Each structure stands twice: as C-alpha cells, then as structure tokens.
Amino acid sequence: MCQALDRWIARAFAPDRLSATIEALTHASAAASAAEPRTPEQAQARQAIKECELRLARYQAALDAGADPAVVSQWINEAQRDNDAAQKKLDAHPAAPVIFFAVLQEGRWPPGPA
C-alpha cells in the first residue's frame, strides 16, 4: 500500500503535473477555509452573529415604525456588544490558512522574502 501511495505522490508531483497539482491543492485549501464552522465554538459564534444581525434589523424596523429612539438605542447597543463578543470568539478560532498557488509554485513556504 505504501508503494502504491508513493507512486501516486510521485506522479502528482512530477514536473509535467506539478502546476495542476498545486492548483488543485490551492483550490482545496481555499474551499476548506471558506467552509462553514469546523468547531462547535465557531458554529456558536457564527450563529450568535446571525442572531445579532436579525435583532439589529428588527430594531431598525421598530425605529422606522416610530418606536422610542432612546429605548431602541439601548437594544442596539446590547446587540452590538453581543455581536462584538461573538466576533471575538470567532476570531479566537481562526480558519485554516489558505495556501496560495503562486507561493507554492515558487517553492517557498512560508511566503516572504527569499
């Protein structure tokens, strides 16, 4: 099994296939990074942010309908604090880094000055 895997890897990274392999890896990495939550913490943070956005939209509608701006501004401030807290939680669990095609093609990782 290891020999078969070694042959497959050797073919994938052969000079005539290297660009296609790197491009495929880049697309897979980008897709994985853009995917929805990977951890329960990320899922909870994203859900909290969506809920805050819905609350803010309702509060805007209440203002448009003539609600007391002083009361609604308190609600808005609370929703913004909740949103900020959720965003901090999301930022504490960053997505996997995206591997860029040009960097891989240059053969340098991590990217930066040579």
Side-chain angles (χ1 to χ4, degrees):
M1 174 128 144
C2 287
Q3 290 176 345
L5 182 58
D6 286 344
R7 284 191 301 274
W8 179 83
I9 291 171
R11 277 194 314 271
F13 289 93
D16 63 323
R17 292 185 178 182
L18 185 57
S19 290
T21 299
I22 290 173
E23 189 169 355
L25 288 170
T26 301
H27 290 296
S29 178
S33 293
E36 278 300 305
R38 292 195 170 111
T39 67
E41 293 83 6
Q42 288 173 319
Q44 290 170 350
R46 283 193 174 91
Q47 183 60 38
I49 290 169
K50 287 178 186 176
E51 290 170 6
C52 288
E53 291 169 355
L54 291 173
R55 287 167 53 196
L56 289 168
R58 285 196 314 265
Y59 302 157
Q60 180 63 49
L63 280 173
D64 292 345
D68 181 355
V71 172
V72 176
S73 68
Q74 291 174 3
W75 299 342
I76 290 172
N77 290 337
E78 181 182 327
Q80 287 175 331
R81 280 192 303 272
D82 293 347
N83 188 70
D84 291 345
Q87 188 63 52
K88 284 183 183 179
K89 287 181 183 178
L90 189 59
D91 292 344
H93 299 279
V98 175
I99 301 172
F100 296 97
F101 178 71
V103 172
L104 286 173
Q105 205 167 27
E106 291 172 11
R108 290 187 293 119
W109 189 260

